[in-house]
Amino acid sequence: MPEIAGAGFDYLELSLSEIAALSAGEFGELSEYLKYMNADTPVFSDMLPGKLRVTGPDVSAQAQHEYLKTAFERAKALGAELIVFDAAAARNVPSGYDFSLARRQLGNFMRILQGHAADAKLRVAVRNYRRAECNLINTVSEAALLPALLMLDRIGIAADTVQMALSSEPLDSIERAGMLMHVYVGNALTRRLPSAGDGEDYPRIIQILREQSYSGRVSCICRDDFSLQEAAAALDCLRAMMPPEH
């Protein structure tokens, strides 16, 4: 973390489920360490542990409430502004389970999310996943639909352009999506950090965000470990495309 924190990035995106699992003492130590590092942590992903089900026969609203209360309080204490609802394992509909019931369970969970986000003064962004990784909410368009239908003002969209590419979803979906709160970029073929000339259309992504007057954050994603040199190259790649005021 010290090396990455000093690489020039604007913020660190931490795992909420890992932080929620810490003991009180461990959480206190992490808080002090982040202060010492002067690290900005406004965004948290990895929202739920896989065992805390959103769909399926083992869903417990009480367990969801208890977890979110603690997790969101801790995130807020560390400076969170936005929580990304990814949780591919937790929301994946089990084989043979009634999909219509799973969608109702998802709607109920979204309402629970709305309440805890309001209590903690946080926002939540729903992330898209390709079907091979999660069979519920596979596109940016689908991620945008449920918060709009349920009129949840604390919940919006996290557009993962890697998952969009793997699902053959056009980048134009970002233009049509309301409540865009967060964006992920990376190389879809290698699942590595962005780099100049890696085949991804980063200029088009940045252009779309500029045309929308997007004021949120852009996170670089990578499936495996990466070096400090790769991180610096990713930062240079994206900043070279940003308008001068960035």
Side-chain angles (χ1 to χ4, degrees), residues 26 36 40 92 94:
E26 291 169 335
Y36 171 76
D40 191 18
N92 192 67

Side-chain angles (χ1 to χ4, degrees), residues 123-138:
R123 298 182 301 157
V124 175
V126 183
R127 186 176 187 174
N128 56 300
Y129 277 107
R130 64 171 177 158
R131 182 166 290 275
E133 298 183 34
C134 180
N135 58 13
L136 194 61
I137 312 178
N138 303 123

Side-chain angles (χ1 to χ4, degrees), residues 11-16 42-47 82-87 91 124-129 140 157-165 171 174 180-188 191-194 200-202 205-206 209 214 216-222 238:
Y11 62 95
L12 296 174
E13 185 170 322
L14 302 181
S15 165
L16 184 62
V43 182
F44 287 73
S45 54
D46 188 24
M47 190 178 79
L82 178 73
I83 309 295
V84 177
F85 176 24
D86 36 21
R91 77 187 196 210
V124 175
V126 183
R127 186 176 187 174
N128 56 300
Y129 277 107
V140 168
I157 304 156
D160 186 326
T161 63
V162 169
Q163 296 292 330
M164 291 178 72
L171 290 173
I174 298 176
L180 182 63
M181 294 180 176
H182 198 58
V183 176
Y184 289 100
V185 296
N187 185 279
R191 307 297 287 270
R192 304 297 299 171
L193 292 173
E200 296 295 333
D201 197 355
Y202 303 118
I205 296 170
I206 299 301
L209 298 180
Y214 176 69
R217 298 175 176 87
V218 177
S219 286
C220 298
I221 52 176
C222 182
L238 295 182

Side-chain angles (χ1 to χ4, degrees), residues 5 20 22 33 61 87 90 103 108 153-154 157 161 165 195 202 219:
L22 296 175
Y33 181 68
R103 292 189 183 96
N108 291 338
D153 61 348
R154 288 276 173 178
I157 304 156
T161 63
S195 62
Y202 303 118
S219 286

Side-chain angles (χ1 to χ4, degrees), residues 10-242:
D10 296 319
Y11 62 95
L12 296 174
E13 185 170 322
L14 302 181
S15 165
L16 184 62
S17 65
E18 291 182 3
I19 288 170
L22 296 175
S23 67
E26 291 169 335
F27 178 71
E29 291 177 5
L30 174 64
S31 300
E32 292 302 314
Y33 181 68
L34 291 173
K35 289 178 184 177
Y36 171 76
M37 292 298 303
N38 196 28
D40 191 18
T41 56
V43 182
F44 287 73
S45 54
D46 188 24
M47 190 178 79
L48 302 175
K51 65 181 180 181
L52 183 63
R53 299 295 308 169
V54 172
T55 64
D58 300 320
V59 168
S60 168
Q62 180 179 347
Q64 292 171 353
H65 278 294
E66 291 173 353
Y67 172 84
L68 291 172
K69 184 178 187 301
T70 298
F72 279 19
E73 285 176 352
R74 286 189 168 188
K76 188 68 176 181
L78 295 178
E81 300 172 10
L82 178 73
I83 309 295
V84 177
F85 176 24
D86 36 21
R91 77 187 196 210
N92 192 67
V93 182
S95 177
Y97 194 73
D98 186 341
F99 246 88
S100 61
L101 177 55
R103 292 189 183 96
R104 289 197 294 274
Q105 290 175 320
L106 175 63
N108 291 338
F109 180 70
M110 297 281 278
R111 294 185 182 95
I112 290 173
L113 268 183
Q114 167 82 8
H116 285 280
D119 289 345
K121 295 181 173 57
L122 293 168
R123 298 182 301 157
V124 175
V126 183
R127 186 176 187 174
N128 56 300
Y129 277 107
R130 64 171 177 158
R131 182 166 290 275
E133 298 183 34
C134 180
N135 58 13
L136 194 61
I137 312 178
N138 303 123
T139 65
V140 168
S141 299
E142 290 174 356
L145 184 61
L146 201 54
L149 289 176
L150 296 177
M151 296 185 289
L152 305 175
D153 61 348
R154 288 276 173 178
I155 300 180
I157 304 156
D160 186 326
T161 63
V162 169
Q163 296 292 330
M164 291 178 72
L166 294 172
S167 299
S168 299
E169 183 179 16
L171 290 173
D172 292 351
S173 294
I174 298 176
E175 296 178 328
R176 297 189 294 271
M179 294 289 284
L180 182 63
M181 294 180 176
H182 198 58
V183 176
Y184 289 100
V185 296
N187 185 279
L189 181 62
T190 64
R191 307 297 287 270
R192 304 297 299 171
L193 292 173
S195 62
D198 67 2
E200 296 295 333
D201 197 355
Y202 303 118
R204 174 62 178 150
I205 296 170
I206 299 301
Q207 179 187 0
I208 289 172
L209 298 180
R210 291 180 65 182
E211 290 173 351
Q212 287 191 301
S213 299
Y214 176 69
S215 59
R217 298 175 176 87
V218 177
S219 286
C220 298
I221 52 176
C222 182
R223 181 169 55 186
D224 302 310
D225 292 340
F226 54 86
S227 67
L228 182 59
Q229 290 74 22
E230 288 177 297
L235 185 60
D236 290 343
C237 171
L238 295 182
R239 283 192 169 164
M241 303 171 196
M242 297 290 184

